[in-house]
Structure formats: structure tokens, C-alpha cells
Amino acid sequence: MARQCEECGERVIGRADKKFCSDACRNAFNNALNKDNKNLVRNINNRLRKNYRILETLNTKEKTKVKKTTLQKHGFNFSFFTSQYVTKTGTVYYYVYDQGYLPLEGDWYLLVKTELTL
């Protein structure tokens, strides 16, 4: 029984478990499968990446204080972060991966970096 390529329908020649007639068809099939329908995930990841770069650039030490206007001037968007950490006293740190920030009084922000363990 002849097998057909899952992408283009051409005859597949080779190993018994082969699904595609060529690398191009395999790539096209997987690209279509992994495509974001409305680019939502890609846009959010781009925004997170930009926020991360801003925090990384401004936080040259383990801890740095910056004004809110400095973050905004660089294009930081406070709506996009990956996690929150709440201390025992109720203080909320916002994180973009391992780069975090803590809102302080007077429009100041404390930038911190945490070691991630996977």
C-alpha cells in the first residue's frame, strides 16, 4: 500500500514510518500546525521580551532604584509580566522571568534579579 505525504499528498518513498515526501513538506506542515491563529501569543511574547530587555538594561546590579518615568521612557508596559511574588508582609513583586520590580513610594521602582532554578 502506497503512503501519501501528509502535506501535499505525493507518494512517500522510504522508511515505513516516514510521513512526508521531503523536508520542505515536513517544514510546511509543522509551520502551519504551530502558527498562531491571531498572532496573540507572538505579540504577548514580543511584549514580554521587550519588558525583559528594559529591566535587564536598567538593572545593572542585583538591585537598582529607578523612576517610573525612566521605565516608561524606555517603553516598559506594566500590564505584561510573567509572575508575582507576595512576601509575608504582603509586598508584591512583579516579575518578567527572573527580572523583577517593586513599586515604591513617590513613583520609584526597585528593580531586582532573582536566580531561577529549573
Side-chain angles (χ1 to χ4, degrees):
M1 182 175 157
R3 291 166 292 138
Q4 290 185 326
C5 176
E6 291 186 21
E7 175 65 16
C8 70
E10 292 289 321
R11 184 173 175 219
V12 174
I13 300 170
R15 295 183 351 212
D17 62 343
K18 193 171 178 184
K19 297 178 182 180
F20 304 99
C21 65
S22 67
D23 286 340
C25 278
R26 179 179 48 82
N27 288 336
F29 180 86
N30 286 317
N31 286 341
L33 185 67
N34 294 324
K35 179 181 166 191
D36 300 325
N37 288 339
K38 295 183 181 172
N39 297 323
L40 177 66
V41 173
R42 186 179 64 195
N43 290 338
I44 290 172
N45 284 336
N46 286 339
R47 184 70 251 178
L48 288 170
R49 191 176 301 114
K50 183 172 182 180
N51 276 357
Y52 183 84
R53 277 193 228 113
I54 293 166
L55 291 174
E56 188 177 42
T57 301
L58 295 176
N59 189 12
T60 56
K61 304 170 188 162
E62 294 298 309
K63 292 183 179 180
T64 305
K65 274 177 71 173
V66 297
K67 292 287 265 178
K68 183 176 185 176
T69 54
T70 303
L71 289 167
Q72 290 171 328
K73 180 182 77 174
H74 283 85
F76 192 83
N77 188 325
F78 292 92
S79 299
F80 292 91
F81 52 90
T82 56
S83 63
Q84 294 177 323
Y85 174 72
V86 182
T87 64
K88 291 178 184 176
T89 60
T91 305
V92 180
Y93 286 81
Y94 299 89
Y95 278 89
V96 181
Y97 305 111
D98 64 336
Q99 296 286 337
Y101 59 95
L102 171 68
L104 302 172
E105 291 182 21
D107 281 344
W108 283 95
Y109 281 80
L110 176 66
L111 306 183
V112 296
K113 182 176 180 177
T114 302
E115 285 295 319
L116 289 180
T117 54
L118 301 175

